[in-house]
Amino acid sequence: MADDLETMDHSSDDSSSVDSSEDASRDSKLEFSEDEETLINRMYKLVGERWSLIAGRIPGRSAEEIEKYWTSRYTSS
């Protein structure tokens, strides 16, 4: 019975690592429509880095997604 528990624990570890790698790939490649990009640009000119305010105007987008999009696209390295 202890062997069964070890197997169950090990299988749950595998699934969590798959989930986290899927989340990482989704976060690293945010895709925005042309309308969303235009709205982000306009809102940024009006309110600056107030990401939650900008995200409130784009259904389904979080402030973190907006900020990641902006920094990946418009900051110089």
Side-chain angles (χ1 to χ4, degrees):
M1 187 163 191
D3 291 335
D4 292 339
L5 291 175
E6 288 177 21
T7 303
M8 289 173 54
D9 288 341
H10 185 265
S11 65
S12 66
D13 289 343
D14 289 344
S15 66
S16 65
S17 64
V18 169
D19 291 341
S20 61
S21 65
E22 287 174 2
D23 289 341
S25 66
R26 185 178 32 200
D27 287 342
S28 64
K29 192 174 188 180
L30 292 173
E31 294 188 20
F32 286 77
S33 70
E34 189 175 329
D35 289 341
E36 287 175 319
E37 291 178 5
T38 301
L39 184 55
I40 292 168
N41 283 318
R42 287 181 176 177
M43 290 293 295
Y44 183 83
K45 288 177 184 177
L46 290 171
V47 300
E49 294 183 358
R50 295 176 66 188
W51 307 119
S52 59
L53 187 61
I54 296 170
R57 298 289 181 204
I58 304 174
R61 295 293 186 179
S62 69
E64 291 79 18
E65 287 176 312
I66 304 294
E67 184 176 7
K68 280 183 184 180
Y69 163 79
W70 188 266
T71 55
S72 68
R73 181 112 182 201
Y74 294 104
T75 57
S76 57
S77 305

